Amino acid sequence: MSDAVLQPREPIDLLVVSGSAADLELTLLSLAQCELGGRLAVARDGEAALELLLGAGGPRDDGRPAGLPRLVLLDLELPKLDGFEVLQQLKANPRTRMIPVVVFTSDADERDVVRCYQLGANSCVAKPVAFDAFRETVAELGRYWLRVSRPPFPAPGASPGRQG
Amino acid sequence: MEPIPTLPVVPSLLVVVAAVLAGLVAAGFALVWRRERSRRLAAERQAAAAAHRLAGATAAMREAMSVYDAAGRPAWINPAFERFTGFTLEELAERPALDYVHAEERAALLARWPELQTAGAALEAEYRITTRWGEQRWAAGVWTARLDPQGRVDGCIGVETDVTARRRADETLQRDAALFQTIAEAQQAIGAAGLDSTAVMHAIAERSRALTAAAGASIEEVQGDWLVTRVASGVAAERVPLGASLSGLAVRTGALQRSDDAIDDRRVDRATYMPLAIRSLLVLPLPAEGRTTHVLKVVSLEARAFGEREERVLQLLAGLMGAALRHAAVFELRQQRLEERTRALQESEQRFKQLVDAAQEGIWVLDDRGVTTYVNHRMAELLGHPNGDILGRPLADFLDAASRAEVQRGLAERPAGPRRLDLRFRRKDGADLWTIVATSPILARDGAFVGTVGLVTDITERKRAEDQLRRSAERLRTLHDIDQAVLAARSPAEIARAALGRLKRLVPVQRCSITLFDFAHDQVQVVAGYTGGLPLAALPIPLSAFSSPEVLRRGVVRYVEDLASLEPRPPLYEQLLGEGVRSLLSVPLLVDGEAIGELNLGLGQPGAVEPEHRDIAVEVAAPLAIAIQHARLRDELRRRTAELERRIAERSAELQEAVLELEGFAHAIGHDLRAPLRHVHGFIQLLLAEHGRRLDEPARHYAERVRDAARDLGTMMDALLLLARVSRQDLLRRPTPLDAVVEEVLLQLQPEWEERQIDWQVDALPTVDCDPALARLAVEQLVSNAVKFTRPRSRACIRIAAARQEGLAGLLVQDNGIGFRMTYADKLFGTFQRLHPSEAFEGAGIGLALVRRIAERHGGRAWAEGEPDQGATVHLLLGPETGA
């Protein structure tokens, strides 16, 4: 895995939006360790995330919008546009509305959590401080959303969910 | 006086009755007497003849015969003698001569006995004898000389006839005659008593007493349930009960009642008579018109004093008495009626006189031409003219123009019946006299109109009162108006303008103003005012413009009758004079006795302020002062409130800022600081996990220390975040059963003590009005602490019980753990305060701070008690206990 931004036309499974390099590194490390596979994209700020998702091309052969992931892991603390803005725009757009968004952030307070759900977040998860717990949380999220949960559109031929 | 025809009849009737009675008595007596006398004479002759013829006697004779010898000794008696006297010859011989004759008559008889020595001599006498058995009888004795055959006197012969019966009859007759005589006299006396009932009664009582030889006599009258003595003779007046007296019995039965001995006679009111020693009573009802209203009563101190005779006497008198009383009563009644009628007539005359002369109404009589023929005293008084001035003049002369026209119209119409006119007269002194005149035509017998009489009622006072009332009502209305305006106004100036605007309607002011004193600044502030109809400028006037500022403080009403006459004039008065003010009234505005200002009324004429103006000004000043004071207070209050609000706003802003800062701080801890901490922990963990083997021992030790510190820091930040959340979060109170809360917490914390032996004692817990989530958090801390601090005990005891204090309820958690020194009791509840090394007891050191914060959020309390090594008890009170 690298932190390179994937080509927009390439189908992806997971988009990680994180402004913190350290967080991103820990998250990607954790994902790598749980070996979920699949394609991963990364956005470092809110603007980039929206560009990637809304600026994606037309529908692909399998009917899934090109470049749209099966899951977005969204941090709230982002340069440029913050996580709330990103979430609001994603959920306001018919094209991206159905993409599951998991708000994965530092321990957000109640009001933030409520606000996220009001904006249409599919889940809110706090990042544990202890690394062991962090790693376990990331693994659980990946397992659940990419393997257990059914996506709103037909899975691509080589979907990670169909493996293992 | 009306004649009373029955009057003369009474005495004449009495006289006739008396005369007839007396005649009857006399005639009867004469008749009996004559018959008896002739009978007696015949018997005497017979006896004498027999004695003479049958000397030597026969036994069969009815007359008692006794023969005495010459020595005067009894020689022979016949059986009749023995039957008469009871003595035998022997017995007679043993006794002195004529011993059987009553001592009183015996001597006389014996004295005459020697007459019988002469032949042919005879002695006749009637005398009493006492029989052998002691009985007294009457004898008519004829004694003659006894001749022997030689014709010589040889003793005497007595022939005695029993005349007892005759003598008794005589006596009765004599007594009766005397009685009738007395009754007749009594009747005369009663008749003579005349028509005064008391005198009649007196006569009756006196006579009855005399006739019955009674100790006393009285006439009693029925009065309700009592018999009351009207007149009494020889006895005291008394009152006896109708229901329990002999008199009452007589009244009820209408029959004469007699008591022969009051001592053992139950019918007698003995309570009355015993003390008077009265033994015999005789009560006679005196009926009048079929009803007994009076009784005649005679009494005696002797028992059995009255007999049939007395009864008869009184009964004979009864009819007369009743009649006499009745007549007297009738007479008195008529007399009384007559007097009453006379009195009534006199009173009526008097009243009429008063009506005419002294009445408040004037009376005015006009003839058919409208000329005055009579006015009463009052009318003259009303007009102020003497009577003589009015007589002979037409009514119109005394009327004002409008009323004159009305009277002309009225007279022209010549009304047939009474009318009512409102007329205004002109008094002699020129004043108006308002009247209501009720007129009636005076008609002659043939119906011709001969004049008019008018009753003139003076209503001037009433008119004046009505006028006053109207003005007063107007004044009240205006005052009320002022009150309303004053109430509606908001500022002192508005109040003052409202009051003056309306006051001007009541008082003709040239200038008026309301001023407020400002002694602190040596000035008087004009709040509102008008001069010549234009508003005054609201300018301050220096105190120096007044003659004496001190007088303002005193709060008295001041009146200057004429400003022009005042020398020297203070500058203010000079100015007022210039504005056309001559008289000036100043009324203080008093609040709690302190003058806060003045109401000033300036009038254009000297001395123009009338008492009424003054009253009005005073009336207005009172509410005005209060209203202005209120307005000032209101202003002050508003100023204070605004100031307070401003300060609150400032303080709030500061607070808001502080809160925001705090929130920012909490946020920083929760989020901004968290991320780097996570990174430290994450990477040091990665370092240890992936490269630990390559590190030497000290390096690994340091890395581990960094990792532990990061972990602790995380824990503390979590705790702080929780504390912040508890402080900020809204309180959602509802009835919360602490039983359930504790049960839940125990279940949740169970893993923490699974390996240990703990004796749990959970008592019944109250249901408390509190936030269930916070309550649970608090309980969690308490239970967790108890579990934690009993860890050194091989056998831990933890008790959870109800706590109630000062209307609040909650629970307490008691353990037998390591306890604490009470000196540190408060420190326990501080944030991150520990009493033990963190190595010994893990945790952020924030549990009790959290508990206290939760208690405080609820308005409750949390505190701890304990001793080192003796365990600890933590109390938590959250809110009022609820029924559920």
Side-chain angles (χ1 to χ4, degrees), chain B residues 167-312:
Chain B
R167 285 297 296 219
R168 298 240 163 107
D170 281 357
E171 280 171 9
T172 305
L173 209 59
Q174 275 166 8
R175 239 188 0 253
D176 280 358
L179 184 62
F180 278 120
Q181 180 62 33
T182 328
I183 286 171
E185 281 171 25
Q187 286 166 340
Q188 262 176 321
I190 290 166
L195 290 167
D196 179 64
S197 61
T198 308
V200 169
M201 287 183 199
H202 263 299
I204 292 171
E206 294 285 356
R207 291 293 158 172
S208 303
R209 182 182 166 203
L211 283 173
T212 54
S218 58
I219 289 179
E220 293 166 352
E221 186 178 56
V222 178
Q223 287 181 10
D225 291 339
W226 295 86
L227 276 155
V228 180
T229 302
R230 282 287 308 274
V231 299
S233 166
V235 286
E238 53 203 27
R239 242 160 87 88
V240 294
L242 190 62
S245 67
L246 202 63
S247 301
L249 190 61
V251 170
R252 291 199 301 279
T253 57
L256 179 142
Q257 302 293 334
R258 189 177 84 196
S259 175
D260 287 334
D261 196 343
I263 287 177
D264 56 8
D265 193 337
R266 297 183 155 274
R267 301 170 301 158
V268 175
D269 172 30
R270 281 177 286 181
T272 304
Y273 298 112
M274 284 302 164
L276 302 172
I278 286 170
R279 299 287 295 276
S280 300
L281 292 102
L282 196 54
V283 186
L284 184 74
L286 302 177
E289 285 158 13
R291 217 155 56 86
T292 302
T293 53
H294 294 78
V295 296
L296 168 66
K297 182 174 78 187
V298 293
V299 297
S300 170
L301 304 182
E302 304 293 326
R304 282 169 286 282
F306 308 123
E308 286 176 15
R309 177 186 160 271
E310 283 74 22
E311 289 187 3
R312 259 178 68 209

Side-chain angles (χ1 to χ4, degrees), chain B residues 793 815-820 865-873:
Chain B
R793 301 282 178 265
D815 63 56
N816 65 339
I818 58 168
F820 60 92
E865 292 154 0
E867 282 301 321
D869 238 23
Q870 300 294 313
T873 306

Side-chain angles (χ1 to χ4, degrees), chain A residues 33-113:
Chain A
Q33 282 183 9
C34 64
E35 296 173 337
L36 283 168
R39 289 171 176 273
L40 190 76
V42 168
R44 297 303 310 279
D45 60 53
E47 216 174 74
L50 284 178
E51 198 178 317
L52 185 72
L53 291 167
L54 300 176
R60 297 187 333 159
D61 300 340
D62 58 2
R64 184 172 121 200
L68 291 189
R70 291 187 63 192
L71 175 68
V72 177
L73 265 187
L74 179 66
D75 200 343
L76 290 176
E77 315 268 316
L78 295 175
K80 300 180 183 171
L81 295 177
D82 70 12
F84 294 113
E85 185 68 19
V86 173
L87 178 61
Q88 194 258 325
Q89 290 208 23
L90 284 183
K91 290 298 178 181
N93 192 315
R95 195 171 120 81
T96 53
R97 185 190 299 151
M98 288 192 295
I99 302 173
V101 177
V102 172
V103 175
F104 189 54
T105 182
S106 298
D107 188 271
D109 68 23
E110 247 85 306
R111 281 170 299 183
D112 291 346
V113 171

